[in-house]
Amino acid sequence: MKKGCSLVAVMLVVVLIGDQLGASEAVTCSATQLSPCLGAITSGTPPSQACCARLRGQQPCLCGYMRDPNLRQYVNSPNARKVASSCGVSIPSC
């Protein structure tokens, strides 16, 4: 009986730790988070560190932004690709 309880306790701990790790990796997709990149995308100037940090954080959201007709022109622009490259972020093919 003790082995069964111990196994259940270990499994519960693993599930709880995994749940916490997943929660810390969750990203809220919001194009406004990329506002530090606006100047670099529209004018072609080098991106700031803040821009690169935000872009890396929003990377899982890029396909959604590319599908949005209001954002597509910015995300697919040559300057946006330069910014992504400068920040070490790969543009996904969606």
Side-chain angles (χ1 to χ4, degrees):
M1 182 73 173
K2 284 187 177 183
K3 285 184 181 181
C5 289
S6 296
L7 181 60
V8 170
V10 168
M11 290 177 67
L12 181 61
V13 169
V14 169
V15 168
L16 290 174
I17 290 172
D19 210 23
Q20 288 299 315
L21 290 175
S24 66
E25 293 174 8
V27 174
T28 301
C29 294
S30 172
T32 59
Q33 292 290 315
L34 296 175
S35 61
C37 299
L38 189 58
I41 291 171
T42 57
S43 68
T45 58
S48 65
Q49 288 181 351
C51 168
C52 289
R54 296 278 182 94
L55 186 58
R56 283 194 278 295
Q58 291 288 301
Q59 188 172 8
C61 306
L62 293 179
C63 282
Y65 298 156
M66 293 168 102
R67 288 184 203 109
D68 185 326
N70 298 316
L71 300 174
R72 184 179 308 137
Q73 64 185 3
Y74 300 106
V75 179
N76 285 330
S77 72
N79 284 342
R81 293 186 180 279
K82 287 179 191 174
V83 168
S85 178
S86 295
C87 293
V89 173
S90 59
I91 300 287
S93 54
C94 309

